[in-house]
């Protein structure tokens, strides 16, 4: 059993080191960043996740609850509007992806005529944010956080840091890489948004983080 856990740990660490390497490369670093730099960024990301959970747990505990709610995490960013804005943007993007998947053509069953009309009408497909989605819940909570701005207004704020990053990426694509390197660069950028091996996170990263925040139950 111990050997299996160690193998899972090594595989997960290797996976996330590769993700960090690609992230660094796609944001202007070398294609093969220095290993100590990769380890430092990975350790920093883990530290920030653990610290966020610890602070969220203190918030939940102060409210007399034994589990962390979404609102306990959001309140940590009440003084960091641009980070809060990005969380909202990520949630909105995730919801749109989910809706697109729901609206995708349903493959025919083995015993079903492929030319037969689907049982689901186009009008029945979800096309808007559902009331109990994480994104809607986040919007509702941000609206009552006393920021002086609604969630909708917050998402429209100019983000100079993000825009500068986009300009830097555009400069890299236009002038900093060769045609031979371009496919590897785009693959690295795609990998930072599409994690196809989430099993590693579920089996190792998340349990380890929760273990470090003793007594925390996620909800």
């Amino acid at each position: 059993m111990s050997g299996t856990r160690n193998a899972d740990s090594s595989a997960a660490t290797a996976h996330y080191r590769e993700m960090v390497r690609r992230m660094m490369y796609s944001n202007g670093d070398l294609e093969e960043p220095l290993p100590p730099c990769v380890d430092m960024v990975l350790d920093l990301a883990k530290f920030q996740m653990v610290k966020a959970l610890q602070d969220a747990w203190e918030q939940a505990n102060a409210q007399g609850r034994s589990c962390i709610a979404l609102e306990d995490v959001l309140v940590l960013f009440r003084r960091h509007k641009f980070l809060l804005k990005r969380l909202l943007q990520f949630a909105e993007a995730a919801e749109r992806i989910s809706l697109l998947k729901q609206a995708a053509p349903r493959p025919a069953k083995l015993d079903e005529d492929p030319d037969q009309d689907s049982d689901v009408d186009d009008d029945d497909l979800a096309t808007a944010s559902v009331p109990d989605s994480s994104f809607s819940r986040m919007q509702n909570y941000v609206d009552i956080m006393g920021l002086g701005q609604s969630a909708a207004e917050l998402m429209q704020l100019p983000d100079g840091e993000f825009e500068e990053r986009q300009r830097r990426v555009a400069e890299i694509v236009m002038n900093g890489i060769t045609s031979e390197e371009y496919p590897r660069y785009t693959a690295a950028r795609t990998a930072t948004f599409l994690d196809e091996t989430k099993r590693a996170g579920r089996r190792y990263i998340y349990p380890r983080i929760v273990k470090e925040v003793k007594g925390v139950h996620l909800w």
Side-chain angles (χ1 to χ4, degrees):
M1 183 66 70
S2 176
T4 301
R5 285 198 298 268
N6 290 337
D8 287 346
S9 171
S10 298
T13 299
H15 166 71
Y16 283 101
R17 287 188 82 260
E18 175 63 12
M19 292 295 296
V20 168
R21 181 197 69 78
R22 291 180 171 184
M23 179 187 69
M24 294 172 67
Y25 173 45
S26 64
N27 282 280
D29 209 318
L30 299 173
E31 186 170 2
E32 295 294 338
L34 295 174
C37 294
V38 175
D39 291 336
M40 181 184 67
V41 173
L42 183 57
D43 287 343
L44 179 61
K46 179 184 175 183
F47 170 80
Q48 290 177 331
M49 292 176 68
V50 171
K51 184 65 168 63
L53 280 177
Q54 288 174 333
D55 292 346
W57 168 242
E58 291 178 2
Q59 173 73 16
N61 194 41
Q63 299 293 327
R65 289 183 279 103
S66 60
C67 62
I68 293 176
L70 175 61
E71 291 76 8
D72 298 319
V73 177
L74 290 179
V75 75
L76 303 179
F77 299 94
R78 62 187 180 279
R79 297 181 181 176
H80 304 279
K81 290 186 177 181
F82 288 114
L83 295 180
L84 193 57
K85 170 187 174 178
R86 291 174 189 174
L87 287 175
L88 288 166
Q89 289 174 327
F90 288 143
E92 181 184 34
E95 182 175 279
R96 288 185 177 183
I97 291 172
S98 178
L99 292 175
L100 286 173
K101 288 181 178 179
Q102 293 177 31
R106 183 174 60 87
K109 298 179 181 178
L110 294 178
D111 58 348
E112 183 178 72
D113 183 355
D115 296 327
Q116 183 179 352
D117 291 338
S118 171
D119 295 334
V120 180
D121 294 332
D122 291 340
D123 293 339
D124 294 335
L125 295 174
T127 56
S129 176
V130 292
D132 59 348
S133 72
S134 294
F135 179 50
S136 294
R137 184 174 167 187
M138 290 172 69
Q139 286 181 301
N140 292 336
Y141 188 70
V142 170
D143 286 342
I144 62 172
M145 284 178 67
L147 300 177
Q149 293 169 309
S150 67
E153 292 170 336
L154 188 63
M155 293 182 69
Q156 297 301 318
L157 283 179
D159 190 338
E161 182 179 333
F162 176 76
E163 292 171 0
E164 175 58 32
R165 185 183 306 164
Q166 293 298 93
R167 284 193 291 269
R168 185 170 66 248
V169 169
E171 177 67 21
I172 292 172
V173 172
M174 296 299 295
N175 304 310
I177 60 177
T178 64
S179 58
E180 291 79 12
E181 188 181 0
Y182 181 74
R184 300 196 300 274
Y185 179 80
T186 55
R189 279 191 61 79
T190 301
T192 62
F193 294 98
L194 180 62
D195 184 357
E196 296 180 346
T197 54
K198 292 182 179 178
R199 292 190 303 273
R202 287 197 297 266
R203 291 189 303 174
Y204 172 65
I205 298 294
Y206 302 151
R208 283 288 297 275
I209 289 175
V210 172
K211 184 178 180 181
E212 294 193 28
V213 189
K214 296 181 180 179
V216 171
H217 300 282
L218 297 179
W219 175 63

